[in-house]
């Protein structure tokens, strides 16, 4: 059983077409079909069946794919570990992070790290708060950067910084000319928030409760940039981090106001699996992130 055949099965069972997989593997489609048939003979069960014009995994194929995924991931990690022993300065960091951090913090950390380790590579992925812990637990990321301690017994988390949150209001809002407000001044406003399950959603609800009211939810989104756009359109207010150019907000359709009656901020930290011995590159990145953010 060849690794190339297992990778082809993994791709087809994951939803790719035989034509595309054959092209990527530089094989003819009939040759790939024969290889998959031989794999089924070795396993002793039908792994794929045709649904319309595509192949889909059978129940046996779904079970087998779970083990193939684990095997190939272990093999790839083994190759990576050996490569980093030979040339530790050219390792790979697999990093998952919040969407909101992709516009400022993550680029800053990557740029500083690459200045010291220019040959280092990064595999990046973005996710919501709930999905980040899963990236560690299912081994799709070495490290995560998240807005709170996941509180999971298998995960170690270290704070990098505290990020202020602001009350974002439309430029023509009644409070837009002010720099500071009390959150308790906006109980009747329509709030624009992230969907349940996102860390910023729970922070917003908690801060509003501290200010003495429950927020009236007008719109829910999945990304902070969506919230900014809805605020700019005059559809409500939102508790969000400020963009890097907040100092230049005079010409923007949004005003970011400091809140004086609540501690409006969120912790940003880096996390990894406690039991896992990380390769040199991810461990160096942790050290770098803690040093420059401290």
């Amino acid at each position: 059983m060849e690794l190339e055949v297992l990778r082809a099965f993994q791709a087809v069972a994951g939803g790719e077409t035989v034509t595309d997989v054959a092209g990527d593997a530089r094989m003819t489609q009939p040759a790939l079909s024969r290889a998959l048939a031989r794999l089924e003979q070795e396993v002793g069960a039908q792994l794929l069946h045709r649904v319309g014009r595509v192949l889909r995994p059978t129940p046996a194929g779904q079970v087998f794919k779970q083990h193939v995924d684990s095997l190939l991931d272990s093999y790839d990690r083994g190759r990576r570990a050996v490569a980093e022993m030979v040339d530790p300065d050219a390792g790979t960091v697999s990093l998952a992070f919040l969407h909101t951090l992709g516009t400022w913090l993550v680029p800053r950390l990557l740029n500083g790290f690459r200045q010291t380790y220019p040959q280092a590579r990064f595999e990046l992925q973005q996710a919501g708060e709930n999905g980040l812990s899963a990236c560690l637990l299912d081994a799709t990321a070495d490290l995560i950067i998240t807005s709170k301690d996941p509180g999971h017994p298998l995960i170690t988390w270290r704070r990098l910084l505290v990020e202020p949150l602001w009350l974002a209001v439309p430029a023509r809002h009644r409070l837009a000319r002010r720099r500071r407000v009390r959150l308790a001044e906006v109980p009747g406003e329509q709030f624009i928030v992230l969907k349940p399950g996102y860390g910023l959603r729970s922070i917003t609800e908690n801060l509003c409760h501290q200010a003495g009211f429950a927020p009236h939810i007008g719109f829910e989104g999945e990304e902070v940039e969506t919230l900014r756009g809805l605020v700019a359109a005059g559809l409500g207010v939102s508790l969000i981090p400020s963009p890097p150019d907040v100092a230049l907000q005079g010409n923007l359709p949004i005003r970011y106001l400091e809140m004086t009656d609540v501690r409006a901020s969120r912790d940003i930290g880096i996390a990894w699996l406690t039991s896992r011995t990380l390769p040199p590159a991810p461990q160096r990145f942790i050290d770098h992130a803690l040093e420059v953010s401290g």
Side-chain angles (χ1 to χ4, degrees), residues 95-107 125-133 135 143-148 157 163 194 197-200 203 222-224 241 266-269:
L95 176 68
F97 53 90
L98 287 174
H99 296 277
T100 54
L101 304 179
T103 59
W104 66 283
L105 178 60
V106 172
Q125 54 182 309
Q126 295 173 288
E129 198 75 59
N130 287 349
L132 287 173
S133 294
C135 290
L143 310 170
I144 60 173
I145 298 180
T146 180
S147 68
K148 63 179 181 179
W157 181 88
E163 181 182 35
L194 295 179
Y198 286 81
L200 193 56
I203 292 174
E222 295 183 344
E223 294 188 1
V224 169
R266 63 176 180 174
D267 291 330
I268 303 298

Side-chain angles (χ1 to χ4, degrees), residues 235-246:
L235 298 175
V237 302
S238 187
L239 299 186
I240 52 178
S242 67
D245 57 357
V246 66

